[in-house]
Amino acid sequence: MIARLMEELQREGRYSIDDIAQELADRLQVWSTGRAVIQRHLTQAQAIRLVNDDRLERAVRLNADLPAAELGSSIVLPNARLLLSALMEGDGAGLTKAGFLNRKFVMAIGGKLDWPEFDWQEICAYSKAVNEAELTPVWFLHGVLKLAGLVHTRRGVLCVGKRGRELIAPERAGALQAALFRAAWRDLNLAGLSGIGLAERLQWQGNSILFMIGRLADDWIDGERLLHCAVAPDREILAAPEGLPLSAFRWCILRPLGWFGLLDTRAMPTEIEWKPRHEFRKTPLYDRFLAFDPGPA
């Protein structure tokens, strides 16, 4: 940890022992303040119970009975149904040797997705042929559908399975949302959303992060404050370059929660025009979809 911190400070032209000691003290102080907030809401035993609920069935429970009308804020749900429909209409889609959807299918489905964060016309302006790995929504949907057991590969073709055909029905919207969220939160490597490996240090404690967001984000809260008050840091997080933990938290944890319709985001201006500060707030769906039972205090 100290070696990494020294390398970071040296790149900034700070070489003295006092610089290192002060930087370390400042980081520990910020994280210690956040840790105190966590400890006010969770005992160690409760945090362990949350983290150990691998299937989101005990300490964290998903409401799979919500009707489609209450899931309107979810981006994942309608786009997953669109992808399932496209696979069913075309008797599946061929996969490349690397296991990605073929380029023809990606180009066909890319223009149909309704994913506000991604402008298909702008993407096509830069590239005439888009691969799955270059189109995050398709990569994400392919991953969660497969991990949820809704699609499977047969002789190099991705096909919709029996469960996928069942959950695509409009009346099964809540069950589909729950299946996809469980696959994304517990099985998909969310670091793949940004390439920030540090996200893996956050994902394992995802359930306790969900609990803390539920307690802290009734109103708008700054992303950095939410990071320090919801995440228990380890050596890797403490030693990471300044700003990297927040980037991993925002892109790999908070962003997919927004895709599932559970968080709102807004950008607040700062003194640096191109570098806004982001705030987050639970949507009404958050407390309808997620329920927590961390055990007795």
Side-chain angles (χ1 to χ4, degrees):
M1 172 181 175
I2 297 298
R4 285 192 182 183
L5 184 57
M6 289 176 64
E7 291 177 3
E8 180 184 346
L9 294 179
Q10 287 172 2
R11 286 194 293 269
E12 299 174 1
R14 300 162 65 187
Y15 299 96
S16 72
I17 296 298
D18 289 341
D19 287 336
I20 296 171
Q22 185 60 54
E23 182 68 21
L24 183 59
D26 291 345
R27 292 190 184 189
L28 290 175
Q29 177 60 42
V30 170
W31 283 105
S32 295
T33 301
R35 189 63 180 270
V37 174
I38 295 176
Q39 291 172 342
R40 285 202 298 270
H41 292 279
L42 279 175
T43 66
Q44 184 177 20
Q46 289 176 321
I48 292 173
R49 175 176 163 83
L50 285 166
V51 169
N52 286 340
D53 185 6
D54 291 338
R55 302 315 307 163
L56 302 178
E57 294 173 345
R58 301 183 305 277
V60 182
R61 294 190 297 274
L62 309 179
N63 186 351
D65 296 324
L66 291 174
E70 293 193 42
L71 297 167
S73 59
S74 174
I75 296 173
V76 174
L77 185 62
N79 286 291
R81 297 183 75 249
L82 178 66
L83 184 54
L84 287 171
S85 295
L87 289 172
M88 291 167 60
E89 291 170 3
D91 294 323
L95 300 175
T96 67
K97 291 182 179 180
F100 294 111
L101 289 161
N102 68 76
R103 186 178 294 172
K104 181 180 179 181
F105 182 85
V106 172
M107 293 297 295
I109 199 69
K112 298 177 181 179
L113 294 178
D114 183 10
W115 207 290
E117 190 177 328
F118 294 86
D119 187 327
W120 179 245
Q121 298 302 322
E122 183 177 340
I123 292 172
C124 290
Y126 287 95
S127 178
K128 299 302 181 183
V130 183
N131 298 316
E132 177 187 333
E134 299 168 332
L135 189 58
T136 300
V138 175
W139 173 86
F140 180 80
L141 291 172
H142 181 186
V144 293
L145 286 169
K146 192 167 186 177
L147 291 168
L150 307 186
V151 297
H152 62 270
T153 303
R154 184 174 61 215
R155 296 179 181 177
V157 176
L158 188 69
C159 303
V160 180
K162 179 181 178 181
R163 189 159 184 256
R165 294 176 183 274
E166 292 174 350
L167 294 189
I168 196 174
E171 62 270 18
R172 301 299 304 279
L176 179 56
Q177 166 94 347
L180 297 175
F181 183 84
R182 181 176 285 108
W185 199 247
R186 301 307 302 174
D187 301 319
L188 187 68
N189 182 1
L190 294 176
L193 293 175
S194 69
I196 302 177
L198 192 63
E200 296 175 4
R201 311 302 303 171
L202 305 177
Q203 189 172 358
W204 73 268
Q205 54 182 306
N207 289 353
S208 60
I209 291 174
L210 286 178
F211 179 87
M212 291 303 299
I213 290 175
R215 293 298 183 93
L216 300 173
D218 286 323
D219 203 351
W220 292 107
I221 181 171
D222 178 73
E224 189 165 6
R225 173 166 171 73
L226 186 58
L227 166 71
H228 293 139
C229 294
V231 173
D234 58 15
R235 290 182 180 181
E236 293 291 324
I237 295 173
L238 289 173
E242 186 175 1
L244 190 61
L246 179 59
S247 293
F249 185 55
R250 178 186 165 201
W251 291 106
C252 304
I253 301 296
L254 301 180
R255 183 168 66 152
L257 291 178
W259 290 347
F260 280 100
L262 304 174
L263 280 185
D264 285 328
T265 307
R266 69 179 183 184
M268 304 298 290
T270 66
E271 295 179 355
I272 305 175
E273 183 177 350
W274 53 269
K275 192 177 181 181
R277 177 175 59 85
H278 290 88
E279 295 183 340
F280 301 87
R281 179 181 64 181
K282 294 187 303 182
T283 66
L285 179 60
Y286 197 97
D287 292 324
R288 292 281 292 137
F289 182 62
L290 295 165
F292 300 96
D293 178 20

